[in-house]
Amino acid sequence: QVQLVESGGGLVQAGGSLRLSCEATGLTFGAKVMGWYRQAPGKQRELVATVTSGGSTNSADSVKGRFTISGDNAKNTVYLEMNNLKPEDTAVYYCNAVVPVLNINYWGQGTQVTVSS
């Protein structure tokens, strides 16, 4: 059974930093895309950043230059380094893993990130 175990959320002041981690336990397929999405109150879930097992990354324009996504294939873990956080980054952040060859999509339970002004 695949589970995405997230950690690292919390409360931080504007301009601060946080690091999110997500381990995909039970996910044995090497070719996958892992990433982070977020959902603020009253808004739709949106892409933050993704990384493929080959190391290619993609990120939303709103976080470019501030957030960095990276993956560790050996640990089945994806990280999101968030710097210069802004109040508008406040949201529940969800880890996501996709196995394209199987068309399977997994989600974590979400971790709250709150940025105070």
Side-chain angles (χ1 to χ4, degrees):
Q1 183 179 357
V2 176
Q3 285 189 314
L4 302 186
V5 182
E6 301 151 336
S7 61
L11 172 65
V12 65
Q13 288 188 331
S17 299
L18 283 174
R19 187 190 196 213
L20 304 183
S21 299
C22 171
E23 181 184 4
T25 62
L27 185 57
T28 58
F29 288 93
K32 57 186 174 290
V33 180
M34 294 187 69
W36 293 94
Y37 290 71
R38 66 186 181 187
Q39 187 167 18
K43 294 188 177 181
Q44 289 188 330
R45 190 172 298 189
E46 63 177 6
L47 168 74
V48 178
T50 60
V51 59
T52 70
S53 51
S56 298
T57 62
N58 179 46
S59 60
D61 288 343
S62 59
V63 305
K64 283 181 179 176
R66 300 188 299 123
F67 292 11
T68 302
I69 191 168
S70 61
D72 185 332
N73 289 331
K75 296 182 178 179
N76 256 355
T77 299
V78 62
Y79 306 97
L80 185 68
E81 188 75 35
M82 305 185 292
N83 298 313
N84 191 21
L85 281 159
K86 304 176 180 180
E88 51 263 42
D89 295 317
T90 295
V92 178
Y93 284 68
Y94 295 92
C95 181
N96 173 260
V98 176
V99 181
V101 67
L102 297 178
N103 196 26
I104 295 178
N105 200 1
Y106 301 99
W107 290 97
Q109 79 282 1
T111 185
Q112 178 71 45
V113 171
T114 302
V115 184
S116 63
S117 57

